[in-house]
Amino acid sequence: MRIPSHIGIIPDGNRRWATNQGYTKDKGYEHGLDPGIRAYRSCRDAGVKEVTFYGFTTDNTRRPASQKEAFIKACVEATRMLVEEGAHVLVVGNTSTPLFPKELMDYTKRHKGKEGEIRANILVNYGWYWDLTNIAGKEAVNKNNIHGAIQSSDVSRLDLIIRWGGRRRLSGFLPVQSIYADFFVLDEYWPDFTEEHVRRAIEWYNTQDITLGG
Amino acid sequence: MRIPSHIGIIPDGNRRWATNQGYTKDKGYEHGLDPGIRAYRSCRDAGVKEVTFYGFTTDNTRRPASQKEAFIKACVEATRMLVEEGAHVLVVGNTSTPLFPKELMDYTKRHKGKEGEIRANILVNYGWYWDLTNIAGKEAVNKNNIHGAIQSSDVSRLDLIIRWGGRRRLSGFLPVQSIYADFFVLDEYWPDFTEEHVRRAIEWYNTQDITLGG
């Protein structure tokens, strides 16, 4: 079976899930933590080498304060859980604005995890334009070195992106790494994650051809 | 009804269609011309303001010569048909390599079409890295001006991307303009286009929310 090397996870639907449960929207995020670690383990056990989680973006910071606090806290906790698991953790995002949590500063260079574990990237206060504007000022950027010129250059090309919550869009998720990725959308909200979702996505991926644009 | 201002068209499946019909693969492209003009008219009549067609990419130029000749010829013919229809045509692509057809040079600045017609962009010898590397060398690029810094700056943000041929990937299609776009995939091959496909995509789009990443 053809296993994707790198899977992107867009864990959407936390707020809709919370509303359906009768909670306030900000309560959705804490219910996304357990799914996160389970998704990491599912990928690792399937033979995936790298997983990237879409934490929060600079676009998301227009949301109400209670939600912002909740998703920032969830990202900090998710990072802690992944480090504890032994993953090779990297936090990628704009550290120069106040919304970037200081606790995560240590992880903006890749943390060496345990043997047998895999790379886990978390996008925290990430912005697609922040990522791409890094190209400005560089000289002689071409097809072969453009990936190295962006802010998220330590995140490899994505093979498969799985989005929960039914929306069929990238919402600014790593535009350069997503170029050739296959895109699998689940209607289930992220807090309703099950291991079967990852299994289904990988099985679907196996039925797709690889062309890399050719 | 909420109508997308700008629709992207990824007309995939020409070669698979040709093979199914017992033709050689290169014969698929000419059967994609009539669908192209019909797709343009469907969008225009629905109230869409801009349509972008994925012609061919610099990645595609690794294909056999007979296929290359066929898709280049189809792009030239598609441009001619859209101009004749009265569309405000713009050809976007790398004009500095031999595969860019000289006949289309006049359309690399927007051609003024007829009243009541809409903008039609055709990507010809386009490359996502060619598009983005234009940012290099620019100064002070930020969220507000990054769109203006790329090669395809005259192509506006996409609201809806429709892909024929069943593959759920962008394959390098306008990474900056695709950031917030909703992505609708049809299993039918492009030569089997019907107006109902566009209608279905626009109806689906109407059921999606707009967040622009918020």
Side-chain angles (χ1 to χ4, degrees), chain B residues 12-98:
Chain B
D12 197 22
N14 293 288
R15 294 183 297 169
R16 286 173 281 165
W17 180 90
T19 302
N20 282 356
Q21 304 287 321
Y23 302 147
T24 53
K25 285 181 178 173
D26 56 293
K27 291 285 176 265
Y29 300 107
E30 64 197 65
H31 292 273
L33 288 168
D34 178 57
I37 198 78
R38 286 163 61 200
Y40 168 83
R41 289 173 186 152
S42 299
C43 290
R44 177 197 63 199
D45 296 348
V48 173
K49 300 295 177 210
E50 185 167 354
V51 185
T52 298
F53 294 92
Y54 210 9
F56 73 91
T57 69
T58 45
D59 286 331
N60 296 150
T61 56
R62 289 174 293 193
R63 294 186 186 168
S66 63
Q67 288 181 31
K68 283 193 275 192
E69 282 160 30
F71 63 61
I72 292 171
K73 197 176 156 201
C75 283
V76 172
E77 183 59 13
T79 305
R80 195 197 59 72
M81 287 165 80
L82 286 163
V83 168
E84 192 174 288
E85 183 77 8
H88 308 283
V89 168
L90 178 72
V91 170
V92 177
N94 187 348
T95 58
S96 71
T97 84

Side-chain angles (χ1 to χ4, degrees), chain A residues 136-189:
Chain A
K138 298 257 158 81
E139 275 172 54
V141 176
N142 58 43
K143 184 183 181 177
N144 299 319
N145 65 13
I146 186 168
H147 190 157
I150 59 175
Q151 289 275 8
S152 63
S153 57
D154 291 338
V155 176
S156 73
R157 184 171 63 69
L158 287 152
D159 300 300
L160 170 63
I161 298 169
I162 315 177
R163 180 167 187 146
W164 277 258
R167 287 175 182 150
R168 305 193 215 164
R169 57 177 84 142
L170 287 173
S171 307
F173 186 63
L174 296 167
V176 166
Q177 289 91 337
S178 298
I179 292 282
Y180 302 117
D182 281 306
F183 191 38
F184 190 80
V185 177
L186 290 146
D187 285 330
E188 290 88 342
Y189 298 142

Side-chain angles (χ1 to χ4, degrees), chain A residues 59-174:
Chain A
D59 286 331
N60 297 149
T61 57
R62 288 173 293 189
R63 293 185 186 167
S66 63
Q67 289 181 31
K68 282 193 275 190
E69 282 161 29
F71 65 61
I72 292 172
K73 198 176 154 200
C75 283
V76 172
E77 182 59 14
T79 305
R80 196 197 58 71
M81 289 166 79
L82 286 163
V83 168
E84 192 173 288
E85 183 77 7
H88 307 283
V89 169
L90 178 72
V91 170
V92 177
N94 186 349
T95 58
S96 72
T97 83
L99 284 164
F100 187 90
K102 288 185 185 60
E103 305 93 299
L104 297 186
M105 206 57 106
D106 282 352
Y107 299 102
T108 56
K109 292 208 165 159
R110 191 172 301 279
H111 171 79
K112 198 172 154 38
K114 295 180 192 152
E115 217 185 295
E117 298 295 330
I118 63 171
R119 287 189 293 276
N121 313 311
I122 309 150
L123 306 190
V124 173
N125 204 35
Y126 173 88
W128 63 268
Y129 36 88
W130 165 81
D131 201 358
L132 294 182
T133 53
N134 203 52
I135 301 169
K138 298 257 158 81
E139 275 172 54
V141 176
N142 58 43
K143 184 183 181 177
N144 299 319
N145 65 13
I146 186 168
H147 190 157
I150 59 175
Q151 289 275 8
S152 63
S153 57
D154 291 338
V155 176
S156 73
R157 184 171 63 69
L158 287 152
D159 300 300
L160 170 63
I161 298 169
I162 315 177
R163 180 167 187 146
W164 277 258
R167 287 175 182 150
R168 305 193 215 164
R169 57 177 84 142
L170 287 173
S171 307
F173 186 63
L174 296 167

